[in-house]
Amino acid sequence: MAGRIPEDFIAEVRSNVNIVDVISQYVSLEKKGKDYIGLCPFHQEKTPSFTVNEEKQFFKCFGCGKGGNVFKFLMYKDNLTFPESVQRVAEFAHIAMPADYNANGGTKLSPIMRINKDAVDFYHRVLLTTKAGERGMQYAKKRQLDSDTLEHFKIGYAPKEDNVLITYLRGKGYKDNELAQSGLFVQTQDSRLFDRFRDRLMFPLEDENGHSIGFSGRRISNDKTEAKYMNSPETEVFTKSKVLFHFAEAKKAARSEDHLVLYEGYMDVIAAYKAGIKSGVASMGTSLTDDQVYMLRRVTPNIIVNYDGDDPGVHAEERAARMFSKDGNFNLGIVVLPEKLDPDEYVRKYGAEKYRGEIKGALTPTDFFLKRLAQKYNLDNDREKITYLNEAVKEISQVKNPVEQDMYLEKLSRSAGVSLNSLKANLARERRKNNRARSHTRTRNRDYYAQQPNDLNLGDPATSVDTLPIQQTEVQKHPSQSRLLYLFIHSANAQQYLQEGKFHFPNQDYETLSQLWLKFAAAHENPQIDSFLDFIPEQLQGIIVDAELAHMPKDFTIQEINEHVFALQKRSIYSQLNELQNQLQDAKRREDVQKTIEVTQKIIELKRILG
């Protein structure tokens, strides 16, 4: 399975990395007992079911069922082959690949990613080193983009001509059908290709691994008939709703800054980066999506939203805050800059230090909504003030933490000049209304689903992508076989005892694994379970991972083994008895006396074994 990579090299790579460190680049992990847990990167969930065991060096999601070692994680996450995942982990561990390793077997980018990568290098070089790029450089300087910023974000310039990039990439050997799929070109009706981006400052877009997947081009001319920003169209590698600008770099910075900051635009991320905030990301010029919210949550629950300070920006912040609150697993902060400034304008006007202070002083969502609410009413008018107070209490009633509720009620009491007790009475009434509404919704949904035909398979109305049932593990489905296989692998004595008793696993997958382990152990001086995982077919790996993550004891007694073996025998006998009872009924129905006697004798023999 290892291809051209020597097996001892694979073992060296595996032993020199900690799976927790690798997976932490994709998932925010929290230590819980012996394991680390986080939100699964392979399916969306609210309650973490993704587990990483540092001692065993395995991961497992108990929601979607995916599991394995560090190589398997990267194969799932980044769609890599096994050799590619070994190379990626080797890079992480700063281990050079073997000298005789065929580089063509290493990590390969898709043609579209390679085209975009070459385009990034081309546009960047045009901006920094060519006469054609001087126009772009003048604009970059006007926007105070220094050399460090240009380098970090790989910013480039697309010249005015419509055939510069196409000529360059054809010269590198790309075919027109590949170039047409990249999104970098406009194709005419007669199939001719022209550069899509012209006379624009180019901001590369990357996936969460830092691979180039598209561009956003900023208009630098004063021609208002052209869009200020132009994005690459969606391709097989670029989907706007699933991409965040600067995400690959920001998630690294999130570990030291302990948060991610969400902005509206690229220039805001860049301005924040210059101001010392490296953890900024931006959505792709569209409203925030559920996919993007989940991407952020996998990295950290600590999110700060800082959109533009104008009315559309603040409205967008309201919508974003509602989306984060709906998820319910965020520690959210919201920044509204004064004078309706956007972050880029604020940094240029007031400086980096003052801007960092704004980020530190981010409002809680409730404070943000209460401030917004207060601006909608004339609080000198008693009628409007009463309406405001009622709306404010409704907002506070959405807060789940009783301590937070008390804190906001006290603030409201002081600012509005009303008694705390009266606000608490209103809050209690509001909470009762909320509870009744939730109860009514649950009852209505339950009644609706109960009326649906069974073959619709709609399930429980409360079940959603966030509350998928935990999948049964192999240990739960086959407890005795899992335990015996674990002992067969980890104890030479248990293995010998089972072999001497001519034991065979009833389930063919377990029997196959036991035979594969014998072959693997015979070929290795010091066989290890994590190496064995790379030796066996993918469809069998889950059995091993589940057994390893069940925290089974390695100690055992012969009595325990006998009890498991007998339990499996009993299960087999009951299954045989079931079949024989059916045969007996059939024989009696046909009045086949000989068959009836024969089957009855077999039933008696099996029942005698059971005692």
Side-chain angles (χ1 to χ4, degrees):
M1 290 185 76
R4 291 178 289 271
I5 307 175
E7 197 171 322
D8 57 351
F9 178 81
I10 294 171
E12 180 191 356
V13 170
R14 189 191 301 105
S15 64
N16 275 277
V17 297
N18 185 337
I19 191 172
V20 173
D21 295 334
V22 175
I23 292 181
S24 290
Q25 296 183 96
Y26 298 83
V27 179
S28 176
L29 297 173
E30 182 182 355
K31 186 78 182 287
K32 286 286 179 73
K34 290 184 177 181
D35 298 327
Y36 290 81
I37 64 165
L39 290 171
C40 180
F42 308 121
H43 80 286
Q44 289 198 22
E45 59 182 4
K46 273 190 178 180
T47 304
S49 62
F50 182 81
T51 301
V52 184
N53 185 283
E54 188 171 26
E55 179 190 354
K56 304 280 188 178
Q57 291 291 294
F58 286 140
F59 75 91
K60 169 79 177 182
C61 176
F62 294 96
C64 68
K66 285 185 168 65
N69 60 13
V70 66
F71 301 131
K72 197 67 187 175
F73 177 83
L74 291 175
M75 289 169 71
Y76 282 135
K77 188 69 189 76
D78 295 337
N79 196 27
L80 303 179
T81 63
F82 180 75
E84 289 169 351
S85 69
V86 172
Q87 186 170 359
R88 178 76 66 79
V89 179
E91 290 167 1
F92 181 85
H94 305 294
I95 298 174
M97 295 297 287
D100 58 350
Y101 172 65
N102 184 346
N104 291 330
T107 303
K108 298 188 220 39
L109 298 176
S110 71
I112 294 181
M113 284 184 175
R114 283 190 285 111
I115 289 170
N116 275 285
K117 182 181 183 302
D118 286 337
V120 169
D121 295 338
F122 175 76
Y123 286 141
H124 190 55
R125 197 161 61 248
V126 167
L127 177 67
L128 297 182
T129 64
T130 69
K131 187 171 181 61
E134 289 178 358
R135 175 174 165 80
M137 185 59 79
Q138 288 174 359
Y139 180 81
K141 288 178 178 176
K142 178 181 170 185
R143 297 301 300 264
Q144 300 177 11
L145 301 177
D146 56 27
S147 58
D148 172 63
T149 305
L150 294 175
E151 196 61 43
H152 177 79
F153 290 93
K154 302 173 190 170
I155 297 169
Y157 173 68
K160 286 185 176 183
E161 293 77 10
D162 63 9
N163 63 352
V164 180
L165 182 64
I166 189 75
T167 302
Y168 171 75
L169 291 176
R170 280 172 175 160
K172 288 185 72 70
Y174 292 110
K175 306 300 181 188
D176 275 17
N177 63 324
E178 294 175 325
L179 296 171
Q181 294 172 30
S182 70
L184 293 172
F185 306 98
V186 177
Q187 190 167 29
T188 62
Q189 287 186 339
D190 57 359
S191 298
R192 288 182 299 157
L193 297 176
F194 296 95
D195 294 3
R196 179 180 299 276
F197 298 98
R198 300 189 289 275
D199 194 28
R200 288 179 179 270
L201 205 64
M202 300 297 287
F203 299 92
L205 308 175
E206 299 177 338
D207 64 15
E208 66 173 298
N209 299 310
H211 297 139
S212 302
I213 55 175
F215 286 89
S216 183
R218 172 60 160 92
R219 184 192 75 214
I220 65 176
S221 73
N222 293 320
D223 185 357
K224 299 292 178 64
T225 62
E226 294 187 0
K228 182 187 285 188
Y229 282 97
M230 178 190 289
N231 289 334
S232 292
E234 295 198 349
T235 65
E236 65 180 49
V237 300
F238 173 52
T239 304
K240 281 194 297 185
S241 64
K242 298 180 179 179
V243 175
L244 289 164
F245 177 70
H246 196 237
F247 186 62
E249 293 298 319
K251 65 181 184 177
K252 299 173 189 173
R255 294 172 202 156
S256 55
E257 296 184 17
D258 198 32
H259 60 229
L260 286 168
V261 186
L262 179 63
Y263 296 99
E264 274 190 284
Y266 317 123
M267 291 307 298
D268 296 328
V269 173
I270 292 168
Y273 178 85
K274 288 164 55 185
I277 294 171
K278 314 295 186 185
S279 59
V281 297
S283 52
M284 309 305 303
T286 56
S287 296
L288 190 66
T289 68
D290 288 333
D291 285 321
Q292 291 165 337
V293 168
Y294 193 72
M295 286 171 67
L296 296 170
R297 180 63 187 86
R298 277 199 287 108
V299 175
T300 176
N302 303 322
I303 305 296
I304 295 173
V305 182
N306 181 198
Y307 288 172
D308 294 354
D310 58 11
D311 290 339
V314 176
H315 283 305
E317 278 188 317
E318 282 188 11
R319 180 182 177 277
R322 295 294 186 200
M323 286 185 71
F324 285 114
S325 296
K326 183 178 72 173
D327 182 277
N329 290 308
F330 286 94
N331 175 26
L332 190 65
I334 299 176
V335 175
V336 181
L337 297 174
E339 302 171 41
K340 299 190 174 182
L341 297 174
D342 64 36
D344 185 27
E345 293 166 336
Y346 187 94
V347 170
R348 280 189 277 155
K349 184 170 182 178
Y350 292 107
E353 186 177 349
K354 196 161 184 183
Y355 178 68
R356 289 196 297 271
E358 294 282 357
I359 293 295
K360 286 180 183 174
L363 299 171
T364 66
T366 305
D367 268 330
F368 167 72
F369 285 123
L370 291 179
K371 283 179 180 289
R372 290 281 294 155
L373 200 58
Q375 292 167 3
K376 295 179 182 179
Y377 296 98
N378 175 9
L379 300 185
D380 291 325
N381 179 296
D382 286 347
R383 185 172 56 83
E384 290 198 33
K385 185 175 181 178
I386 290 170
T387 304
Y388 158 69
L389 288 171
N390 288 335
E391 291 296 316
V393 169
K394 278 184 187 176
E395 189 64 49
I396 295 170
S397 73
Q398 303 301 316
V399 176
K400 294 178 181 176
N401 188 325
V403 175
E404 285 185 58
Q405 285 186 343
D406 278 356
M407 183 179 73
Y408 293 123
L409 286 178
E410 286 180 10
K411 280 186 183 180
L412 189 61
S413 171
R414 286 196 302 271
S415 64
V418 297
S419 76
L420 181 59
N421 286 338
S422 64
L423 293 176
K424 284 184 175 180
N426 278 5
L427 177 66
R429 186 176 66 241
E430 198 62 43
R431 289 172 66 180
R432 285 195 296 272
K433 282 169 59 179
N434 291 343
N435 290 336
R436 283 198 299 272
R438 279 193 290 269
S439 176
H440 175 69
T441 300
R442 281 196 298 269
T443 302
R444 186 184 58 203
N445 286 347
R446 190 161 50 246
D447 291 345
Y448 169 77
Y449 279 85
Q451 294 167 12
Q452 304 309 308
N454 289 334
D455 58 359
L456 287 181
N457 195 27
L458 294 173
D460 189 291
T463 301
S464 71
V465 71
D466 298 315
T467 56
L468 287 172
I470 298 299
Q471 288 198 358
Q472 263 199 321
T473 66
E474 287 292 331
V475 176
Q476 291 168 326
K477 287 189 280 189
H478 304 288
S480 290
Q481 292 189 81
S482 294
R483 176 60 174 158
L484 290 176
L485 181 64
Y486 181 85
L487 294 176
F488 189 92
I489 288 173
H490 287 284
S491 168
N493 291 335
Q495 183 185 115
Q496 182 180 353
Y497 182 77
L498 288 167
Q499 286 180 305
E500 287 174 351
K502 297 188 172 10
F503 172 78
H504 291 281
F505 290 90
N507 183 290
Q508 186 56 53
D509 287 344
Y510 283 77
E511 179 65 16
T512 300
L513 281 169
S514 69
Q515 297 307 309
L516 286 173
W517 174 256
L518 291 175
K519 290 179 184 177
F520 182 77
H524 294 78
E525 187 176 337
N526 183 27
Q528 298 295 319
I529 193 70
D530 50 0
S531 301
F532 179 58
L533 202 70
D534 300 324
F535 178 81
I536 62 179
E538 180 176 349
Q539 65 269 24
L540 302 181
Q541 292 178 4
I543 295 173
I544 297 296
V545 173
D546 284 355
E548 292 300 312
L549 294 185
H551 302 298
M552 294 185 189
K554 291 187 179 179
D555 297 334
F556 69 96
T557 63
I558 295 299
Q559 181 184 349
E560 182 197 358
I561 291 181
N562 289 337
E563 285 173 354
H564 285 297
V565 170
F566 185 59
L568 293 173
Q569 288 175 342
K570 278 176 63 177
R571 190 172 178 181
S572 173
I573 289 170
Y574 282 127
S575 177
Q576 292 176 57
L577 283 171
N578 243 357
E579 177 60 28
L580 289 170
Q581 290 290 357
N582 291 334
Q583 291 179 23
L584 182 62
Q585 287 179 6
D586 188 56
K588 287 179 177 179
R589 180 178 56 79
R590 289 186 288 107
E591 297 183 351
D592 185 339
V593 176
Q594 184 61 36
K595 184 68 174 177
T596 300
I597 294 170
E598 180 186 321
V599 172
T600 303
Q601 286 175 338
K602 288 181 180 179
I603 290 174
I604 292 169
E605 287 170 12
L606 289 177
K607 286 186 174 180
R608 189 179 293 124
I609 295 173
L610 288 175

